[in-house]
Amino acid sequence: MNLLESKVILTKLEKEIFIDDSSNIELSGFKSPIKKSPYYEIMVGLDLIRIRNNEFYGTKKSYFGLRITEDLQSVVVYEPDQQSIFAVKNELEKQAAIELIDYLLIQSPTFKELVRKIIYNYKQANEVSGIEAQEYNAKLSVLEGLLNVRKLGVNFAIQKKNIA
């Protein structure tokens, strides 16, 4: 028997269930540092199963953002503007979401394997030139850094991202 790891966020209205499978995790929106924002940024999307009144209520994709410092020494989790995993949650529910993110970044073998697969595919498509080479190397470094995230290196900034 092959059991899957799952995590549940109990909210006032429903249960949001994350099943630790690579098909339920999306990494997208890689951004390199700019003067206004000296961080690398990546969006992480999680497919969650929704259960209401003990019945299947559908699925939803919830996101959180990762900001990684240029020196790759710290990771900050932030709330995106749309489809946030923290949206419409009270403090206890937000704490459950933080525990899920903590598990994903630090313990989840599926997340680590997905990052390794992205790194492998990225290296296979190694068709970069001049200026692109610096961004290519930076993206590889950030992805490789995600494989070594430690609990002490993750900070949570649960507030809306400022876009100005």
Side-chain angles (χ1 to χ4, degrees):
M1 180 185 296
N2 194 8
L3 296 176
L4 291 174
E5 180 76 34
S6 65
K7 301 293 179 191
V8 179
I9 299 173
L10 294 174
T11 69
K12 201 180 295 187
L13 298 176
E14 63 189 19
K15 297 172 184 92
E16 299 174 348
I17 303 169
F18 169 73
I19 297 174
D20 195 9
D21 185 75
S22 61
S23 64
N24 295 327
I25 306 169
E26 171 192 334
L27 292 175
S28 62
F30 182 84
K31 294 181 184 175
S32 293
I34 56 174
K35 288 182 183 181
K36 288 183 186 177
S37 177
Y39 305 99
Y40 295 100
E41 291 188 1
I42 298 175
M43 291 303 296
V44 180
L46 303 177
D47 288 327
L48 302 171
I49 297 170
R50 300 168 67 196
I51 304 290
R52 262 193 199 175
N53 300 322
N54 294 323
E55 293 186 20
F56 178 72
Y57 193 70
T59 62
K60 72 175 183 178
K61 184 163 296 245
S62 292
Y63 291 88
F64 63 92
L66 297 175
R67 282 194 187 114
I68 298 117
T69 56
E70 284 187 87
D71 62 4
L72 306 174
Q73 295 302 307
S74 96
V75 176
V76 174
V77 175
Y78 69 90
E79 182 175 7
D81 293 329
Q82 297 179 343
Q83 295 179 282
S84 170
I85 195 166
F86 303 107
V88 198
K89 289 185 171 53
N90 65 33
E91 288 306 311
L92 285 174
E93 296 164 355
K94 285 180 181 180
Q95 186 58 42
I98 287 170
E99 288 175 25
L100 168 59
I101 294 167
D102 204 42
Y103 164 79
L104 191 74
L105 295 177
I106 297 166
Q107 299 173 12
S108 170
T110 305
F111 180 76
K112 304 287 187 199
E113 187 56 38
L114 178 65
V115 172
R116 281 187 201 93
K117 184 185 286 186
I118 292 170
I119 291 169
Y120 175 79
N121 290 340
Y122 198 62
K123 286 181 177 179
Q124 295 304 308
N126 185 5
E127 298 176 15
V128 295
S129 61
I131 298 170
E132 295 172 338
Q134 185 176 2
E135 185 161 329
Y136 172 86
N137 290 332
K139 186 171 183 177
L140 272 179
S141 295
V142 169
L143 289 169
E144 288 168 351
L146 286 178
L147 295 174
N148 300 311
V149 172
R150 303 284 184 264
K151 187 162 184 75
L152 296 175
V154 179
N155 299 305
F156 289 85
I158 313 305
Q159 71 263 359
K160 294 284 186 203
K161 176 183 170 188
N162 292 330
I163 301 178

